[in-house]
Every structure is written in structure tokens, then in C-alpha cells.
Amino acid sequence: CALLVLIIVSVSWSGVPLFSLRRTVAFLMTTAFGLYIAIKRDTEQQVRLLANLFAFCAWLSLFFILFLPEYAIGVESGNRGTWNGVFIQKNVFGRYMVFAIITFLCLPARSKRERLFKYSNLILAVGLLAGTRSAGSYVMFAVSLLLLVVLRLLLHLPWQKLLLAGTAVGIALTAGALYIYFHLDALFRVLGKNATLTGRIDLWHVLLIKFADRPWLGYGFAGFWSTQAASVWSMVPGLQVLKAHNGYLDVCLELGLVGITLYAVTAIIAARRCVRIAAGSSALYTKWPLMILSMILLYNIFESELLYQNNIAWVIYVAVMVSTQRVFRTVAAISPPSPESEQLMLRESVVQL
């Protein structure tokens, strides 16, 4: 992958090459883990694997909240009483509970035992999400439910009805966006935020100035915050952070326009495959790759987890990329004589994803 090559080569222009090299090795190992999961497990097995992982995290978090609250409930100013479970911070906890909810919703449940597992953990994840008081996670939860409804209703329609329904959805989304734009202050009050998004707007302005200094190749993988943090802090008083709180901006800072372009290409290819796979079967688990990919991409508007080592979101991203590629390679190898037979074989191949 060209993006991985760029990450490796970027060590040469990093201001801290040894540190960047260590981070690069860790990132490549994380990528290899995602690749291993994609090769060894089909989509349904991936959903079951992650469901078990998220269930473990959810129940362990509940245990800490109930019996060791000093580690699982926030006490600092601004986060007092919020739940972070076994995670480092409430927003991280909320983010992974949204991932858990998506996974449990898409989890196949063919027996009474499986249904008990699915719905008990789904209810637990929703309850834990509520306790985080993470406004961003609440929004992503609502978006994920809306996306699931849209996928269930629209993807299997004939193209004539799909065009009409898509137009209606587009009009509704445009109207909603305009309403939000003209009522931003009220929305911020409901979410407990201010117009600067807790200082993010000021931070992004400064980071764009830094990006303009090295726009094409950036500061090297893991090279920006290691060398420019003090300068950023001096320009944004009172906000000492080590990430941009925007994954796309962090990629631009580390790998420049070349890096963000390569990432965008991989994301578009993956999204296109996920849409076709979701449309090729009515099984809920076939909607999981598109839903989880959408959440990862949307979350990185306000968080930074796009190219990050030792991170489950990147593992999932790699697994989705490789798994969907396997399906289309299988279909292409058969060389179907018509679009109708291609769609039929795509549906059959989804089972083996």
C-alpha cells in the first residue's frame, strides 16, 4: 500500500527520526494484526469476535463503576460524575460503546443463547453510553441508528425507487443542516459545548498555519507533535494537547497533502465496496462494515484516530479494507457475463467475506 510506504519513508524527514521509527514499527504491527484478522476470519466471524471483545470491556467497565468508582468515574472539574469505565477518558469510552452498539445490532443471533447475549450486551452498552455524558458520542449514536434505518430501507430498492428515495433523503438532510446552521447556539447549549467546540476551532486555526509551512509531505509520521507541541501551546494558551482533535488534520500535519490524498483514496474505495456488499444481502451483519467504517470516518472530524498505532479503530479499518477486497477479487475471478449475474455472485460471495 502506497500509504504504508509513505509512512515508512517519512521517517527520513522527521525531526525525531528514531521516535518516528519506533512509532512506525508499532503502527505496522497494528496493521499486520488487522490483516491477520481479515485473512483468518470472514465478516460474520469478525462481528462475533468484536462483540466478545466489546462485551468483555463493557462488563469490566460496569464492575469498575460499581466497585472501584475511583478509577472509572471522573472526579476532575468538568468531568465530575461522568463514566469512563476501563478507558482513559469519557469520550474514548463513549466512542467504543457506540462501536459496541453497532456491533451488537449487527450480530447474528440464531439461538436463544445468542439472542440473550446480543440483547443483554446491547442494553448494557446503551446504558454505559448514557453514563459517559459524551455529547459527541450521543450524536454518533443517533447517526448510527439513522444510518442503519437508511441501509435497511433504501439499499434493496429498485434503482428507480432508490433514486426517488435518495432525493427525498438528500432534501431532508439539507433541510436539517440548514436548521442546525441557523440554530447553532441552541444546539451547543443542548450539547453542553460552546461555539469554539471546547477550543478546537482556535487549535485548528493554529494547526493550519503550521500545516502551511510544510504542506506536501508534512513533518513525518509522529513527527509533528514531538517537535511542534511547545510552539502550538504558546499560540493557544490554556490548551495543552498532543493531537489535533481532528484525524484528517493530524494526517495532513504528519504526511502532508500526499498522505491525506492516499488515505482518502483508500477510504473511498473501501466505502464503495462496503455499499455494494451491504446492498448485496439482507443479512444485518453485511451492513456492519459500512456502518463501522462510517463511524470511524465521522468520529475523526472531532477526534484523532486515523493513523494511530495500538488502536482498535485502525485494526478494524484494515480488516474491513482487506475483507471487502477479498469479496470483489472472488467475483472478478469468475468473470460474470452480465450485471445481473455479477450481483447474484456478489450476494453469494458475501457469505464468504
Side-chain angles (χ1 to χ4, degrees), residues 121-137:
N121 283 289
L122 178 60
I123 293 170
L124 174 62
V126 172
L128 293 174
L129 174 63
T132 65
R133 303 183 199 170
S134 172
S137 297

Side-chain angles (χ1 to χ4, degrees), residues 18-36:
L18 291 180
F19 179 74
S20 293
L21 179 61
R22 292 198 301 271
R23 287 294 180 91
T24 299
V25 171
F27 180 76
L28 292 176
M29 295 298 291
T30 306
T31 304
F33 183 50
L35 181 62
Y36 173 82

Side-chain angles (χ1 to χ4, degrees), residues 58-255:
W59 286 104
L60 187 61
S61 294
L62 180 62
F63 175 84
F64 270 73
I65 290 168
L66 294 177
F67 301 106
L68 296 169
E70 63 271 23
Y71 298 106
I73 299 178
V75 295
E76 65 274 14
S77 177
N79 290 322
R80 189 177 303 277
T82 60
W83 295 355
N84 56 269
V86 293
F87 293 83
I88 192 170
Q89 201 256 358
K90 68 170 187 176
N91 291 330
V92 179
F93 187 32
R95 175 162 63 252
Y96 285 105
M97 286 303 98
V98 173
F99 288 174
I101 291 168
I102 292 172
T103 303
F104 293 136
L105 284 172
C106 297
L107 179 67
R110 301 184 180 93
S111 67
K112 184 176 180 180
R113 180 180 178 181
E114 290 178 344
R115 286 192 292 271
L116 177 62
F117 175 85
K118 173 176 180 172
Y119 292 110
S120 62
N121 283 289
L122 178 60
I123 293 170
L124 174 62
V126 172
L128 293 174
L129 174 63
T132 65
R133 303 183 199 170
S134 172
S137 297
Y138 292 166
V139 172
M140 289 298 101
F141 173 57
V143 170
S144 67
L145 293 181
L146 177 62
L147 179 60
L148 181 60
V149 172
V150 170
L151 291 179
R152 295 288 286 178
L153 293 179
L154 298 186
L155 282 183
H156 305 291
L157 293 176
W159 71 268
Q160 298 92 337
K161 293 183 179 180
L162 179 61
L163 181 61
L164 181 61
T167 302
V169 171
I171 293 173
L173 290 176
T174 302
L178 290 173
Y179 180 85
I180 291 173
Y181 177 77
F182 288 110
H183 296 82
L184 278 177
D185 291 338
L187 178 63
F188 285 139
R189 285 196 297 271
V190 170
L191 296 177
K193 301 292 184 181
N194 55 43
T196 67
L197 296 178
T198 323
R200 285 179 172 87
I201 300 299
D202 296 334
L203 175 64
W204 293 343
H205 177 72
V206 170
L207 294 179
L208 286 173
I209 296 174
K210 291 288 186 180
F211 166 68
D213 292 337
R214 302 179 68 169
W216 294 107
L217 295 174
Y219 293 79
F221 187 68
F224 176 78
W225 291 103
S226 303
T227 59
Q228 302 296 315
S231 175
V232 171
W233 296 346
S234 67
M235 299 170 72
V236 190
L239 194 64
Q240 295 190 353
V241 295
L242 290 173
K243 58 182 180 180
H245 287 282
N246 181 295
Y248 307 100
L249 185 51
D250 266 328
V251 174
C252 288
L253 291 168
E254 294 187 352
L255 302 175

